Amino acid sequence: MPELPEMENYRVLLSGRILDKPMTGITVNREKSINLEAADFRSQLLGSSIVYIERRGKHLIFHLNTGKRLLLHLMLGGMMYLAAPGESIGRSTQVEIEFDGQRLLFIGLRLGFLHLLNAKETNEALADLGPEPLDPRMTLESFSALLKGRRSSLKSTLINQHVIAGIGNCYADEIAFAAGLAPASKMQNIAASAEQVGKLYEAARSVLREAYMYGGYMEMPLFAGDTKTGGFDERCQVYDREGEACPRCGGTIRRLEQAGRKVFYCPDCQHEA
């Protein structure tokens, strides 16, 4: 599933390619992926343009010149591709938006959605999200305050979108590894140690920044010639590296199931808090 670095990468790359271009065609192949009847969805979008793209957690918000917003959550299996005029990718799409020949394709949008909302509806849809981990206001003090009173595991806390927005399975594992903490560590034990909270805070910020810088871990390019998207995949330290040698201590990376989610970690150098 695309997480904060992937969605931020999409936001920046798309902002340089589709802003202020009128939507000249709308194709809806799966009406369950949108929140309106297809004809209404098309009629409200045709002729409008995207003036700004915002990211909130794992969502993208496409701000339209009409005052409306398109709220996107790709969820599991979702991705986007910006096809050049006449380009075919051989994949089924759920929604397509055309900008003078270019087509923004929404692929795998079966659990995810693309909803046309007004400003109030958008704010309401995102109201339950926690703060952004890379927001300048996310100081060590405010991060520490978020963790106090939490009684779940480290991984469960990191992926809880009501606590911190934007982190999912991949980066929760990478952050835990960078902090030297076992994903199953109890949050109350971590919160009781200023040193461990500090390590976790720095790990979260450094991992997410590096992941964005290298285009996230999802390898499908956003457009032909895109050499950035997916560049972080080869830099993942533990995620999806079961059986490989730990890059820090040489131990063997393990995979286990925790609360129904896969977890990758090194048992030799990631310790319980």
Side-chain angles (χ1 to χ4, degrees), residues 4 56-58 128-134 138 143 146-147 150 154 156-168 175 200 204 208:
L4 186 158
R56 182 71 174 95
K58 300 177 187 180
D128 290 339
L129 289 181
E132 294 283 329
L134 296 181
M138 179 63 80
F143 181 77
L146 284 178
L147 305 184
R150 300 285 166 190
L154 170 57
S156 294
T157 301
L158 288 176
I159 65 175
N160 186 336
Q161 300 304 294
H162 302 301
V163 179
I164 304 172
I167 300 172
I175 290 166
L200 185 60
L208 294 172

Side-chain angles (χ1 to χ4, degrees), residues 1-7 10 58-59 73-79 111-112 159 161 166-171 216-218 239 261-262:
M1 179 189 295
E3 302 177 32
L4 186 158
E6 287 72 40
M7 300 308 285
Y10 279 150
K58 300 177 187 180
H59 301 75
H73 196 321
L74 290 171
M75 298 290 283
L76 185 65
M79 60 186 68
L111 296 176
I159 65 175
Q161 300 304 294
I167 300 172
N169 279 328
C170 173
Y171 297 110
Y217 78 94
M218 289 179 58
Y239 183 74
R261 295 178 180 272
K262 59 184 179 181

Side-chain angles (χ1 to χ4, degrees), residues 69-221:
R69 285 104 164 98
L70 279 169
L71 179 63
L72 171 69
H73 196 321
L74 290 171
M75 298 290 283
L76 185 65
M79 60 186 68
M80 289 186 284
Y81 187 78
L82 187 61
E87 182 181 4
S88 175
I89 63 167
R91 298 282 297 270
S92 61
T93 63
Q94 285 67 59
V95 182
E96 301 182 11
I97 301 177
E98 185 172 340
F99 303 86
D100 290 332
Q102 288 188 110
R103 291 173 300 130
L104 182 57
L105 311 179
F106 297 88
I107 305 161
L109 202 62
R110 299 190 180 279
L111 296 176
F113 57 82
L114 184 67
H115 288 177
L116 183 60
L117 306 171
N118 60 34
K120 181 181 178 182
E121 291 167 336
T122 303
N123 291 337
E124 290 172 349
L126 302 175
D128 290 339
L129 289 181
E132 294 283 329
L134 296 181
D135 191 304
R137 294 169 293 184
M138 179 63 80
T139 63
L140 176 57
E141 291 72 24
S142 57
F143 181 77
S144 179
L146 284 178
L147 305 184
K148 287 182 179 178
R150 300 285 166 190
R151 306 195 66 81
S152 56
S153 69
L154 170 57
K155 174 143 188 176
S156 294
T157 301
L158 288 176
I159 65 175
N160 186 336
Q161 300 304 294
H162 302 301
V163 179
I164 304 172
I167 300 172
N169 279 328
C170 173
Y171 297 110
D173 289 352
E174 292 296 305
I175 290 166
F177 177 79
L181 292 166
S185 296
K186 296 299 182 184
M187 206 64 245
Q188 62 264 37
N189 295 338
I190 296 173
S193 167
E195 181 183 0
Q196 290 181 339
V197 170
K199 286 182 179 179
L200 185 60
Y201 174 74
E202 293 300 332
R205 293 170 72 83
S206 63
V207 165
L208 294 172
R209 283 172 173 157
E210 182 183 4
Y212 161 67
M213 183 171 65
Y214 286 93
Y217 78 94
M218 289 179 58
E219 294 184 280
M220 181 176 177

Side-chain angles (χ1 to χ4, degrees), residues 227-238:
T227 59
K228 181 182 179 184
T229 300
F232 188 72
D233 182 63
E234 63 183 17
R235 303 179 72 86
C236 285
Q237 303 295 293
V238 291

